[in-house]
Amino acid sequence: MGILIRLVITAVSLWIATLVIDGIRLTTDSLGGQIGTLLAVAVIFGIVNAVLRPIIKTIGCGLYVLTLGLISLVVNGLLFLLVSWIAGRFDLPFHVDDFWPSAILGALLVGVVSWVLNMLVPDGGDD
């Protein structure tokens, strides 16, 4: 159940990013299409983060230390662009225009909104 809650939270975070940031677009008009697209992109986002983020952090740990963690903004932006590219390969109507400012700000916004929503919504694992 916790995975489904996190999936919905990520989808809501992506939706908010499409509303706030001009360079992130969800190009479907139907409500069902928007919900399905956001859920599919949330799955892609979760898989990309689960698979690539630990590898990147392990390989680039020196760079993380050297930049005091600021390189994570660049890594998150690049992973956000990768999610957009993968979504395009699956013909999902989700697109991130460019690295700066769209991908960087989108990744930052999705991370902050997801964190806030995860703090507000219990996932059942805290009991």
Side-chain angles (χ1 to χ4, degrees):
M1 190 65 169
I3 292 173
L4 292 176
I5 291 172
R6 286 190 186 100
L7 178 70
V8 170
I9 286 173
T10 303
V12 169
S13 301
L14 288 165
W15 174 66
I16 291 171
T18 62
L19 296 176
V20 173
I21 299 171
D22 290 334
I24 302 174
R25 294 188 317 269
L26 186 59
T27 57
T28 183
D29 292 331
S30 69
L31 181 62
Q34 289 179 354
I35 292 171
T37 299
L38 289 170
L39 289 173
V41 172
V43 168
I44 295 169
F45 189 78
I47 292 171
V48 165
N49 279 326
V51 172
L52 292 180
R53 184 177 306 274
I55 296 169
I56 292 169
K57 281 188 175 183
T58 302
I59 293 172
C61 67
L63 202 53
Y64 276 86
V65 171
L66 182 66
T67 63
L68 302 175
L70 291 176
I71 192 70
S72 66
L73 293 173
V74 174
V75 169
N76 289 341
L78 290 172
L79 290 176
F80 204 65
L81 276 177
L82 178 63
V83 167
S84 173
W85 180 79
I86 293 170
R89 291 293 179 194
F90 285 106
D91 291 328
L92 295 172
F94 179 84
H95 183 70
V96 177
D97 285 340
D98 48 11
F99 178 70
W100 175 257
S102 302
I104 296 279
L105 293 178
L108 190 60
L109 183 65
V110 168
V112 169
V113 171
S114 293
W115 176 73
V116 168
L117 290 177
N118 276 313
M119 296 296 288
L120 296 175
V121 177
D123 62 357
D126 297 336
D127 296 337

